[in-house]
Amino acid sequence: MAFRKLGVNEALAKAIEDLKFEAPTEIQEKSIPLVIEGKDVIAGSKTGSGKTLAFAAGIMQKVVPGQGVQALVMTPTRELAEQVAKNISTFSKYQPMNVVIVYGGVSINPQIDSIPDADIVVGTPGRLLDHLERGTLKLNKIRILVLDEADRMLDMGFIEDVERIIRECPQDRQTLLYSATIPPDIEQLTKKYMQTPIKVSAGTQVDPSQLTQVYYTVPDNQKFSLLVHLLKQERGGLVMVFANSRRTVDFIENNLRKNGIEAEAMHGGLSQAKRSKTLDKFHDGKTYALICTDVAARGLDIPGVTHVYNYDIPKESKQYIHRIGRTARVDNQGKAINLLGQRDFENFDRVHRDYRLNIEKLELPVVERVRVEPYARDEGFGDRRGGQGDRRGGFGGGRGRDDRSRGDRPRGSFGGDRGGQRGSFRPSEPRQSSGESHSTPQQGGHRPPRFGSA
Ligand code: ADP
Ligand code: MG
């Protein structure tokens, strides 16, 4: 078996056999031997390329059950923490280890109770710091530290938190950094905290043989109708529809349902419980279309997604790459469909320029106009109409919407927001992250008319 040749231990090899993975992915092939050797590794490869298994191989090599928290995995979001923990549990089926998940927005007490028995902790930076501060988590036995989706962690403004956590770990640990992209600020981090790291990367960001990319140019007032048309026409597996703002996500969800399409919204404004439930339903195939912002969907691995729609094109071209990475996961075919309204061209051009992707233009089909209800009301909406319309909807709200420029970074100081006394709103996570806004409509001045056609 090809995985054994990479040096994975017997327990993991057996678990992989059960999963029927035929061959290692490129990043697994390149990084697992180094990880097993105990090297510090910086690994870059696109989402969906099997990075979790690669670092899990190292964790399984190092961790001896029952001897305290020996492995720590940091992830940018709660969903990812859940997903990584689930994966590690699957991989360690024949070498059972206690994996404890730690993130904010939920009660801290159950976490406090379960940490003493943990072999592995997977968590988001804010809540991890909380535990360190309370003394409910000790990192002095850490033998292997993993930064997963490191680029995103930095994007979300977690750098200081991440550094603080790293400094709590013993120096003679192994450090692994897995990421879709390796931007310069990550290099800084690696210089400071990794020991003669070896860098490996795999493949291109997008595999054109597996992923078809197309776009339509469509008048703004027909965009939603086109989406409905395509969702009905292009039946495949599951579908993800991306929009740049929470408002647009809610708008799409609401109107798809009114048009008889099973849809659920997924964005940072929803409670953790709601998000988990939505994800489970989507995983189980009970929801056909998941409508989401970038933040909510980042890194999620949902098998069976055959179509990704960009209801609007993200401002940052790397977000485009992350979005389309939700489909055509390992060994599957997928299709990315872009709906370009008037305001999307600038962003679309940027994507083309940055990644030179081959995205085919399709003729606009004849679409039946469907009725839509307007965006939900919220304060500040009216006076923004049109004003910033030519900048991207979700970003033009006048205030810095991108959390890197905002004050509400995850943590101010070590003693910042203590779990118990914080509000109930995801206290240890950034309130809003790049790409999400809930106060500016995506269509700027072109708000769909009340019950008109759009
Ligand atoms: P990444 O972290 O790179 O985004 P994941 O680790 O989430 O990717 O893996 C994506 C999916 O691919 C998961 O469902 C995982 O179980 C599956 N997978 C991982 N390695 C393999 C492999 N060698 N062959 C087939 N599927 C794999
Ligand atoms: Mg991953």
Side-chain angles (χ1 to χ4, degrees):
M1 195 231 205
F3 284 97
R4 286 200 176 83
K5 288 208 192 97
L6 302 180
V8 306
N9 69 18
E10 193 48 34
L12 179 53
K14 277 209 293 201
I16 294 171
E17 267 167 12
D18 289 356
L19 289 166
K20 306 214 165 24
F21 291 175
E22 277 165 20
T25 62
E26 190 184 349
I27 197 66
Q28 289 166 356
E29 194 152 9
K30 286 183 168 166
S31 67
I32 289 177
L34 299 167
V35 168
I36 300 276
E37 260 183 73
K39 301 269 195 266
D40 282 6
V41 177
I42 303 167
S45 76
K46 69 162 191 151
T47 43
S49 58
K51 294 191 284 295
T52 318
L53 172 58
F55 62 72
I59 292 175
M60 291 189 56
Q61 190 74 10
K62 280 244 153 89
V63 173
V64 183
Q67 299 192 359
V69 182
Q70 300 149 74
L72 174 65
V73 182
M74 273 189 258
T75 68
T77 65
R78 295 164 288 179
E79 278 81 12
L80 273 174
E82 297 246 13
Q83 194 170 289
V84 165
K86 233 180 248 175
N87 277 315
I88 293 176
S89 300
T90 311
F91 298 142
S92 60
K93 179 176 169 190
Y94 297 103
Q95 177 190 326
M97 297 187 294
N98 203 351
V99 187
V100 169
I101 311 171
V102 155
Y103 53 66
V106 296
S107 166
I108 199 165
N109 294 322
Q111 297 172 359
I112 292 175
D113 292 342
S114 49
I115 287 173
D117 298 323
D119 302 309
I120 303 165
V121 168
V122 180
T124 52
R127 183 54 71 85
L128 283 169
L129 267 185
D130 238 1
H131 282 286
L132 289 177
E133 184 199 344
R134 288 161 179 254
T136 48
L137 172 64
K138 294 256 178 337
L139 298 180
N140 59 330
K141 291 190 178 145
I142 293 294
R143 307 185 61 202
I144 179 164
L145 168 69
V146 181
L147 307 183
D148 191 23
E149 304 263 9
D151 52 353
R152 185 58 178 170
M153 216 132 53
L154 301 199
D155 278 356
M156 290 174 72
F158 278 130
I159 179 102
E160 283 169 28
D161 294 1
V162 167
E163 290 197 39
R164 273 201 201 116
I165 295 164
I166 297 177
R167 287 197 293 263
E168 296 286 313
C169 297
Q171 298 241 316
D172 63 342
R173 62 168 193 269
Q174 180 179 13
T175 309
L176 306 177
L177 186 150
Y178 279 79
S179 194
T181 57
I182 313 284
D185 44 354
I186 288 192
E187 309 260 0
Q188 290 294 330
L189 198 69
T190 62
K191 280 199 194 103
K192 256 163 121 176
Y193 299 107
M194 294 177 86
Q195 290 182 12
T196 49
I198 302 171
K199 211 166 159 179
V200 290
S201 63
T204 49
Q205 295 260 322
V206 179
D207 179 354
S209 67
Q210 303 225 52
L211 180 74
T212 317
Q213 295 176 72
V214 301
Y215 72 95
Y216 296 91
T217 55
V218 58
D220 289 336
N221 66 356
Q222 286 179 43
K223 208 180 206 187
F224 185 76
S225 299
L226 175 62
L227 177 67
V228 171
H229 175 87
L230 294 172
L231 285 175
K232 289 185 171 166
Q233 199 89 0
E234 293 256 350
R235 281 282 171 180
L238 301 176
V239 161
M240 289 172 92
V241 179
F242 282 91
N244 290 354
S245 72
R246 294 175 182 179
R247 286 179 58 91
T248 306
V249 165
D250 288 338
F251 164 83
I252 296 171
E253 181 207 39
N254 178 31
N255 284 292
L256 285 182
R257 286 182 171 185
K258 294 228 152 67
N259 282 280
I261 294 170
E262 284 277 306
E264 294 256 10
M266 180 80 177
H267 58 60
L270 301 168
S271 72
Q272 179 56 30
K274 168 77 177 137
R275 284 163 69 169
S276 298
K277 205 172 136 212
T278 298
L279 259 193
D280 285 347
K281 275 173 74 181
F282 189 59
H283 254 286
D284 296 345
K286 287 179 194 147
T287 307
Y288 170 52
L290 189 69
I291 322 300
C292 35
T293 56
D294 293 294
V295 168
R298 168 68 196 226
L300 291 181
D301 172 45
I302 299 163
V305 175
T306 54
H307 291 70
V308 166
Y309 288 85
N310 288 315
Y311 190 78
D312 35 36
I313 308 301
K315 186 185 168 203
E316 290 178 55
S317 49
K318 73 177 175 188
Q319 292 294 10
Y320 181 89
I321 300 295
H322 288 305
R323 288 182 182 186
I324 64 178
R326 303 303 97 220
T327 184
R329 312 283 286 177
V330 183
D331 289 338
N332 282 307
Q333 299 284 319
K335 190 163 180 181
I337 301 175
N338 298 289
L339 311 187
L340 303 198
Q342 203 187 325
R343 279 173 195 73
D344 295 299
F345 285 101
E346 197 184 318
N347 293 341
F348 195 66
D349 284 348
R350 192 176 305 122
V351 172
H352 262 145
R353 197 170 56 238
D354 291 354
Y355 291 102
R356 294 194 195 84
L357 299 171
N358 188 14
I359 311 178
E360 188 194 350
K361 179 170 180 167
L362 296 185
E363 282 307 311
L364 186 64
V366 179
V367 294
E368 187 192 335
R369 298 289 194 98
V370 299
R371 281 159 60 95
V372 295
E373 275 184 20
Y375 283 87
R377 287 217 140 260
D378 77 1
E379 89 259 17
F381 173 67
D383 42 61
R384 260 185 218 121
R385 281 190 67 182
Q388 304 272 352
D390 290 331
R391 326 247 323 263
R392 292 298 305 155
F395 291 85
R399 280 186 288 145
R401 277 289 162 201
D402 185 325
D403 61 48
R404 275 163 302 184
S405 62
R406 289 179 55 142
D408 58 355
R409 291 164 51 83
R411 296 312 227 80
S413 65
F414 201 92
D417 42 6
R418 279 154 228 255
Q421 64 210 46
R422 297 183 205 145
S424 62
F425 185 75
R426 312 192 291 136
S428 63
E429 304 284 343
R431 298 262 148 76
Q432 263 180 351
S433 299
S434 52
E436 279 203 55
S437 155
H438 58 158
S439 61
T440 311
Q442 171 268 335
Q443 297 197 340
H446 293 247
R447 179 163 59 140
R450 190 175 292 259
F451 292 110
S453 59

